[in-house]
Amino acid sequence: MASMKKTVFSFLIITLGSACYSLGFVWCYAPNAIAFGGVTGVGQIVNYLIPAFPVGVTVIVLNVPLFLLGWKLLGGGTLISSLYAMFLSSVFTDLFCLYDWPPMDEPLMACIFGGVLMGLSRLYVGVHYPTDVLVGAVIGALCAWVAWKAYQIYEDRRNSVY
């Protein structure tokens, strides 16, 4: 019985993580044309080129050969939770696209909110420790600050020339 509770709890955590991931993608990244990497990024490109193919369905179709290869190489037991997470994230992505979210018109804020939601999804699923996400956030904030300062210097020099 304890094993069953642990399994149900694990899949509940994966469900919450998948929902956070999809919400970050649909609400923050996709409307601001912020590209993703990996299979989701390819799904995003396919959806841009052929809008009739939803991102979630495309991700599922593209992942089938990868999961079959993984099944053959690693065995089925280790892939069940990954298959569940991929499928649920794809379904949530397509379902969340049906809702008219309030606009996130500012790309920088979209990056921040999307990053927080993505970070939460990684914590929920247990892929990263909180310190990993915190250090990534600090490094990202420092990079953004350096980029902002470089832009300010560029603008100041450009304005002083004219």
Side-chain angles (χ1 to χ4, degrees):
M1 188 63 161
S3 176
M4 179 65 149
K5 282 184 180 180
K6 185 177 179 183
T7 302
V8 169
F9 182 73
S10 293
F11 279 88
L12 177 65
I13 294 298
I14 291 171
T15 302
L16 290 171
S18 297
C20 282
Y21 174 87
S22 297
L23 183 61
F25 177 78
V26 170
W27 183 39
C28 301
Y29 290 139
N32 286 288
I34 299 170
F36 249 50
V39 176
T40 305
V42 173
Q44 191 177 13
I45 292 168
V46 169
N47 176 258
Y48 177 77
L49 296 173
I50 309 167
F53 294 151
V55 175
V57 172
T58 305
V59 167
I60 290 172
V61 169
L62 292 174
N63 268 309
V64 166
L66 298 175
F67 275 95
L68 290 175
L69 182 64
W71 190 284
K72 183 176 176 132
L73 296 176
L74 301 173
T78 58
L79 294 179
I80 299 298
S81 61
S82 296
L83 184 62
Y84 177 76
M86 180 274 301
F87 180 78
L88 209 56
S89 294
S90 298
V91 169
F92 278 141
T93 297
D94 287 347
L95 287 176
F96 288 166
C97 282
L98 299 175
Y99 181 74
D100 189 25
W101 296 96
M104 178 81 62
D105 294 333
E106 178 60 43
L108 181 60
M109 291 306 291
C111 286
I112 292 170
F113 281 103
V116 167
L117 288 168
M118 295 294 162
L120 286 175
S121 77
R122 306 302 281 176
L123 289 175
Y124 271 125
V125 178
V127 174
H128 292 288
Y129 294 108
T131 52
D132 294 348
V133 175
L134 181 63
V135 169
V138 169
I139 290 171
L142 286 173
C143 289
W145 181 79
V146 168
W148 178 252
K149 284 298 183 185
Y151 177 74
Q152 285 179 328
I153 291 169
Y154 168 77
E155 282 294 312
D156 289 345
R157 288 186 180 169
R158 191 177 91 173
N159 290 337
S160 67
V161 172
Y162 298 110

